[in-house]
Amino acid sequence: MPNNYFDVGYESNVGLLRQVNEDSLFVDTSYGIFAVSDGMGGYGSGDMASAIAVDTIKTLKKSNLPLSVIAHTCHANICQAAYAGIGSINMGATIVAAKYLSQKKIEIAWVGDSRAYIWNGSMVKQISKDHTYVQDLIDKNTIKPEEARNHPKKHLLSKALGAPLANPSVTVDSLGIDILPTTSLILCSDGLTKELDDTEISNILSLNTNNQYKANKLVEMACIKGGYDNISVIIVNSI
């Protein structure tokens, strides 16, 4: 749905402890495509991996390919760069991307633990599902969802773009959702959700102001709560 009719706000911050911001954002209101990619700092060259992911989306934005196919291409491009000696051989990243197919329909694709939420005016609802060790435990009923937030291995990913998991391919999750123009879409890296719970995020989204102010405020509050990781968020409505 190429158009410019979006109220969008976005912000990315290195946080209080990291030296490099390894998150990358993609915002294109002309094509209605938005994405957050979080580089995996523990594996080296995470900033390069996330940059390759968003550059791939930029290159393919006119292709009309499903986002799941574009995410597979992100994975292939990161792996190709790693094995060519560009960046770390183990570099990787997460991705969450959304494309407005119309004012009422969105396609979403993701790999890893960067998340997609919707805000209907009262409470945020997570619509992506984390690819993490802890989420796998929840799915197996080994732990309860409320135990995940403080689990010692909550940072471990079960899927990612790139080479860290030594996979020649990656499984991409995707879905289509119906959405009202008044409903907000939120994409974010885990640096936001590590610090703020759903209620805290909802309190900021309920402010009677524009999406840019809300994005800035979410990042500011995540820093106040600790800012232990890079923090990135995109908030968008079709209007």
Side-chain angles (χ1 to χ4, degrees):
M1 185 189 73
N3 69 59
N4 294 302
Y5 300 107
F6 294 97
D7 174 17
V8 59
Y10 55 95
E11 178 66 23
S12 186
N13 190 285
V14 69
L16 302 182
L17 298 183
R18 300 293 177 89
Q19 300 300 310
V20 176
N21 189 349
E22 297 188 323
D23 290 356
S24 296
L25 303 183
F26 183 78
V27 174
D28 192 314
T29 56
S30 295
Y31 285 86
I33 302 175
F34 308 91
V36 173
S37 182
D38 180 355
M40 298 169 62
Y43 290 91
S45 302
D47 54 339
M48 184 175 294
S50 68
I52 291 171
V54 299
D55 285 347
T56 301
I57 295 172
K58 181 179 181 180
T59 300
L60 296 175
K61 69 180 183 180
K62 300 178 183 179
S63 66
N64 288 322
L65 290 169
L67 286 179
S68 58
V69 174
I70 293 176
H72 279 288
T73 307
C74 293
H75 174 76
N77 287 349
I78 293 170
C79 289
Q80 182 178 8
Y83 294 131
I86 302 171
S88 168
I89 189 64
N90 289 320
M91 67 181 178
T94 70
I95 190 76
V96 59
K99 180 177 181 179
Y100 279 76
L101 304 176
S102 70
Q103 283 187 309
K104 297 181 179 180
K105 185 104 179 153
I106 304 176
E107 176 191 6
I108 298 170
W110 70 95
V111 179
D113 61 355
S114 290
R115 293 179 177 178
Y117 291 86
I118 55 172
W119 161 256
N120 63 8
S122 58
M123 180 61 73
V124 291
K125 177 183 179 182
Q126 184 178 343
I127 53 177
S128 59
K129 186 176 182 179
D130 294 349
H131 298 143
T132 60
Y133 171 78
V134 166
Q135 184 62 54
D136 290 344
L137 293 180
I138 293 172
D139 292 344
K140 296 174 182 176
N141 294 318
T142 303
I143 65 170
K144 297 178 180 179
E146 55 268 26
E147 297 178 82
R149 192 169 187 85
N150 297 313
H151 195 280
K153 294 185 177 180
K154 63 182 180 180
H155 63 288
L156 294 181
L157 296 176
S158 57
K159 298 178 186 177
L161 301 177
L165 303 182
N167 288 327
S169 62
V170 67
T171 302
V172 179
D173 281 353
S174 63
L175 54 83
I177 62 167
D178 296 319
I179 192 168
L180 297 173
T182 54
T183 300
S184 300
L185 171 72
I186 299 93
L187 308 179
C188 64
S189 63
D190 69 336
L192 181 74
T193 53
K194 284 176 182 175
E195 307 297 350
L196 304 180
D197 61 26
D198 287 0
T199 299
E200 292 168 318
I201 293 172
S202 296
N203 288 341
I204 292 173
L205 293 175
S206 67
L207 297 173
N208 186 23
T209 185
N210 60 45
N211 284 338
Q212 186 59 58
Y213 181 90
K214 293 175 185 178
N216 293 343
K217 195 67 175 178
L218 284 170
V219 171
E220 176 187 343
M221 288 302 300
C223 285
I224 290 172
K225 292 291 293 291
Y228 291 104
D229 199 354
N230 306 148
I231 308 156
S232 297
V233 62
I234 300 171
I235 308 171
V236 59
N237 296 81
S238 66
I239 56 176

